[in-house]
Amino acid sequence: MKCPNCGGNMEGNTCPYCDTQLEPSVKKKEDSREYKPFNYADSDYQYTVEKWYTKTWVIILFLIFFFPVGLFLMWRYKEWGKVTKIVITVIIALMAIWGWFSPDTPRDDASPASPVQTTAVSGSRNVSLPEGTTLTVSSTTIQLVPVR
C-alpha cells in the first residue's frame, strides 16, 4: 500500500519514511472487479521492436553490397566489440583502396581471345572484314579474330 502523504511503500498502518499513521477506516479495500488498465511502462514485460536497419543480417548485407552505409550502421548500432569493428573497417578500407587504384586495362600477357567466327571456304570468295579484325588463313579455314 502507498502512503498518501509521501508515496512510499507502507508496511502496516505506519509509513517508514514520513511516520504518517493511517486509521484502519482510511484503508481502501481493493475491488477485484474494478477496471485497471495495464501500464506497459511499469511492466517488466516490455516489448521492444528492433528496427530493420539495426538487425545483424541487414548490416552484413550493407557491408557486402554498399559498404559506407554498412560501416555506419555497424559502428552506430551493433555491440560487436571495438576490435571486431576495427578489423572489419580496415579490411573493407583496404579492399576499397585496392579497387580504386587497380588498373582497369587487361594485362598484356593474357591469353588471346577465342575466335569469333570460323568459316570453311572452298573456291574463290570475297569476304568483307569489319574494322579492327585480322584475317588468318590456315589451309581452307578462315578465322576472324578481334584485335586488341
Side-chain angles (χ1 to χ4, degrees):
M1 178 174 193
K2 301 264 184 194
C3 174
N5 189 24
C6 69
N9 289 332
M10 292 182 62
E11 297 175 10
N13 291 336
T14 305
C15 176
Y17 301 105
C18 66
D19 294 329
T20 301
Q21 296 278 334
L22 287 183
E23 298 177 13
S25 62
V26 177
K27 284 187 179 179
K28 284 173 93 179
K29 182 178 178 184
E30 294 190 27
D31 187 5
S32 63
R33 296 175 292 161
E34 182 181 341
Y35 173 73
K36 296 177 187 172
F38 186 74
N39 188 354
Y40 289 98
D42 294 336
S43 171
D44 291 335
Y45 303 102
Q46 292 184 4
Y47 180 71
T48 57
V49 178
E50 187 179 17
K51 305 253 192 233
W52 65 271
Y53 52 84
T54 63
K55 294 184 179 187
T56 302
W57 67 272
V58 172
I59 292 175
I60 290 172
L61 284 178
F62 271 116
L63 285 171
I64 293 170
F65 293 110
F66 194 58
F67 70 90
V69 173
L71 287 174
F72 170 76
L73 293 174
M74 177 188 68
W75 280 97
R76 177 71 170 95
Y77 296 111
K78 282 299 165 190
E79 298 295 327
W80 286 348
K82 200 167 197 171
V83 173
T84 304
K85 290 179 182 179
I86 290 172
V87 167
I88 291 172
T89 303
V90 167
I91 289 172
I92 290 177
L94 290 175
M95 288 173 37
I97 291 170
W98 179 66
W100 284 326
F101 292 113
S102 66
D104 293 337
T105 58
R107 295 183 180 170
D108 291 336
D109 62 342
S111 63
S114 63
V116 175
Q117 179 181 1
T118 303
T119 307
V121 177
S122 61
S124 173
R125 213 159 128 183
N126 286 336
V127 178
S128 64
L129 297 175
E131 187 176 324
T133 57
T134 60
L135 178 65
T136 304
V137 178
S138 166
S139 180
T140 58
T141 303
I142 298 176
Q143 196 174 35
L144 300 176
V145 180
V147 175
R148 291 194 232 178

